[in-house]
Amino acid sequence: MRNLTITVPEHVARWAKVWAARHDTSLSRLLGDLLVQLMEQEEGYDPARRQYLSRKPTALKKSGHYPRREDLHDRSGLR
């Protein structure tokens, strides 16, 4: 573990202390967990995006035609 010193506006520090107390955690744990979540989101998104984009496109339908928009959204029975 590593200690960090941060600077935030006074009203933010007060709010964060109250939030942490209401959620039965420390301010240190709160900030540490938030930073871990942010890191995991960033590191997990890029590889997943690259993997998805590396796949060949696939057809949504093998043959035939798609229904017309008017048929899919027929609302005559609702009026």
Side-chain angles (χ1 to χ4, degrees):
M1 292 284 196
R2 173 110 189 220
N3 290 329
L4 297 175
T5 300
I6 64 167
T7 303
V8 296
E10 185 64 34
H11 71 282
V12 174
R14 274 194 310 271
W15 176 87
K17 286 180 183 180
V18 170
W19 191 96
R22 286 183 182 156
H23 291 86
D24 195 30
T25 190
S26 67
L27 195 50
S28 179
R29 171 64 60 103
L30 168 65
L31 293 173
D33 290 348
L34 287 172
L35 289 172
V36 167
Q37 286 177 4
L38 184 61
M39 181 187 72
E40 288 173 349
Q41 284 176 353
E42 186 168 298
E43 289 181 352
Y45 175 78
D46 284 336
R49 181 178 56 86
R50 279 193 295 275
Q51 180 183 3
Y52 175 78
L53 293 175
S54 70
R55 295 170 40 190
K56 283 181 69 174
T58 57
L60 296 175
K61 191 170 184 176
K62 295 183 187 221
S63 63
H65 66 282
Y66 291 104
R68 297 179 322 149
R69 183 182 188 282
E70 293 78 19
D71 296 335
L72 290 173
H73 300 281
D74 179 25
R75 301 195 188 272
S76 61
L78 301 174
R79 293 181 186 148

